[in-house]
Amino acid sequence: MSKRNEKYKMSTAARKENRYGLAFVTPPFIGFCLFMAFPIVFAFIASLTKWNGMNNMLDNFVGLRNYIKLFTDEKFWKVLLNTIIYMIGIPCGMILGVVIALGMNRKIRGIKVLRTMYYIPVISSLVAVSILWAWVFNYDYGLFNSIIKAVSGVHGPNWLGDEFWVKVSMIIFMTWKGLGTAIILYLSGLQSIPRDYYEAAKIDGASGWTLFKHITWPLVSPVTFYLLITGIIGGFQVFVEIVVMVPNGGLNYSAATVVFYLYEKAFTNNQMGYASAMAFVLAIIIFIVTAINFVGQNKWVKTID
Amino acid sequence: MKKKVISAILVAAMMTGCLTACGADGGAKGKQTVSIFVFGNDQEQAIYTDMFKAFEEANNCTVEAQMCIKDDYNTTLTGMMTAKDLPDVFYMGPEAVSQYVANGYAMEITPVLDELGLSTDDLPQDILASYSIDGKLYGLPHDASVFAYAYNKDLFDAEGIPYPDPNKPYTYEEFVEICQKFTKDTDGDGEIDQWGMGAANPFMFYQYVWSNGASFLSDDYKTVTIDTPEFKDALQKYVDLTLKYGVTPTVEQDASLGVYQRWLAGQEAFYACGTWDVAAFMDKEVFPYEWDLCGYPTLSTGISTTWCGTVGYAVNASTKNKDLATKLAYFMSADPDGNRTLSGITTGASIQLPNLISMANGEFKDAIADGSLPFPNNTEVFFNYLNGSDGYAGKFMESTYTPNGEWIDIFFNSLDTVKNGSVTVDDYIAQMQPQMQEALDNAWESVQ
């Protein structure tokens, strides 16, 4: 009798708990459905139609034609390549980040000021810093070309107006943009490495480079992994800096990214269906690259445990 | 128990937060409400707000106005269409009329106008025609704009060159010759810092094409016709201004300081002036030089041609209050006080020409003549382009008649490669024509 009662009581409590649990889960779940799941399903349906924002989407079903067209669209491949080229900025930012973090990981005067300075790009408005960099890259009056002219007497390149240099400009910008986060994360990674690892290695006669190669770098690899994943996902979605710095997508579309092209298709040229297909393909590419990274991480990401 | 109450309250609060955001509903009780969505800069939005207030008072209603900047307009409007939440009155360009009508967004307004006794006789008929399909009117113009040419009088005085004659635009050859006189190094540092003209490709190349009897598209707007000898000749003449004669800043110089900024800085003798630019150019703090209007140079047809533009008010086909919505559209387009404000008769700062023909020919010109409205002397240039005359013609850009403008963007996107001499005119045309045709085909296909 008592056992049955106990069981009954337990399950009531559990049920109540479940109910409250559900009540708390419901709002974010509704939020997810409204703002994530629904748009994803909507975009997928749209990608199978000739929807232009005005016509009735379901009356204009075209099957997989948008996807087929996308794969033969030279411009799409061009912007995809541009987007991937800009990602050169990710490893550059990481290498610089780790070097600067190593420099900052010691007691020097004014370290807090330095850390703040390096982190400012991260908390600044992307539009504002993009405008600033457009000036840095200015052909006649820009900082870079002024320095080049002062040092060598030669006029520097047309950074944002030339098909090649616009890519270099964007890589420089991406490197700079990612630097703050990289430094802060590497710094925290460095500070969590126990001192005794280094002491033990030093007793065995390890040099500075060996210490870095065999202790520091492997033990900050989770940070490297995190930066790589977020960098790649963000890299595929670059948009604002292009719109601000090269509003027409660059000479011969040399600066345009996938999202820039997608936006133009959707909102300038009213090809919502086609743009939705592009968004889907982009999402799949990001998913595949991220999955590869996750599978591959076992080979190189080490933890202290 | 306490915990339960608190958690219940929290959940309720979160749910309410979610739901209220979706269900906002405005409108004062008792009065009729009409909604409108327009774009404009701060100055325009302030004028529109006053106009809405005047309309509210005159019609004992509430105007629910939503305003944004031009760049955000289409995105928001598309969202409204998708959500089936269009306001009663909204902007529609001539390029959108057929699609808005076909998809049931824009209402035919003539019957309601007739019912209300509102006449469109005093509005420019050519512009009204661009909002009509098969004789049925679907929109009323907010404005009719013209992209005319302007010259810096101070530079002409300094060089001792007589001002251009607005009744006789220069031929291309005369224009080049004049421009060469202005192009020089004024401070002796070995670099050119004053030019005959500035050329903003997407806005200033049409004039050469059309005046040479060429066009971007065939008459049915289905075929790209940039490979004709007239078009090639127009393009060659246009790029020669930069490449051969050097009377414009180079592509690199354009990259460091735009042609508009150089005009404002007094570095160019000729630059364009849209009807919307007048107030800014008349403001000595913005443009501290004397200036006036003139015609673009003429090519083989001998007719100086530029593009005109317009945006209009459409009435939502599913509005619950056709009369009030149509009244508001008419008020915004043809209200005399509104016209006086926007054209600067009452404010002294003109951002558009009056829509009312009688006002344009009367009060507007009087205000310019008596000096109460600062305006360039050669006002006729605007009207010549708008209404057409012996030596002048105005047209809509050809992208106005196509479902989207991707095909023309392709042309302008790489035009600088011809202007900097790295690609020849023939090669460029051969390269662009198929790409543009493909984009144009896609555009037409998207609305079939």
Side-chain angles (χ1 to χ4, degrees), chain A residues 16 20 23-24 26-27 30 34 42 50-56 60 65 69 75 135 138-141 149 158 163 248-253 261 263-265 267-272, chain B residues 4 7 10-11 14-15 18 71 74-75 78 81-82 99-100 103 105 191 251-253 255-257 262 403-406 409-410 413-417 420 431 442-443 445-448:
Chain A
K16 269 188 186 167
Y20 286 122
F24 274 101
T26 309
I30 292 175
L34 275 179
F42 186 91
K50 234 166 53 178
W51 183 44
N52 62 13
M54 284 175 265
N55 57 7
N56 188 331
N60 288 281
R65 210 159 75 194
K69 215 154 96 183
K75 227 169 168 182
W135 277 104
N138 187 288
Y139 178 69
D140 268 337
Y141 312 105
K149 189 145 196 186
N158 187 359
E163 289 188 47
N248 67 349
L251 189 64
N252 239 331
Y253 233 52
Y261 185 42
Y263 180 85
E264 276 212 330
K265 278 282 179 194
F267 295 103
T268 313
N269 300 317
N270 304 324
Q271 293 172 331
M272 296 281 180
Chain B
K4 280 184 200 169
S7 54
L10 275 176
V11 171
M14 280 189 268
M15 297 290 288
C18 271
D71 286 353
N74 276 343
T75 315
T78 306
M81 285 176 172
T82 310
Q99 289 200 61
Y100 285 8
N103 293 299
Y105 295 118
E191 286 189 26
V251 170
E252 285 77 19
Q253 285 161 336
S256 53
L257 193 64
R262 289 192 194 274
N404 66 48
E406 191 180 9
D409 292 343
I410 292 173
N413 186 270
S414 316
L415 189 58
D416 279 349
T417 55
N420 69 16
Q431 198 186 324
N442 280 336
E445 202 234 88
S446 73
V447 292
Q448 265 162 20

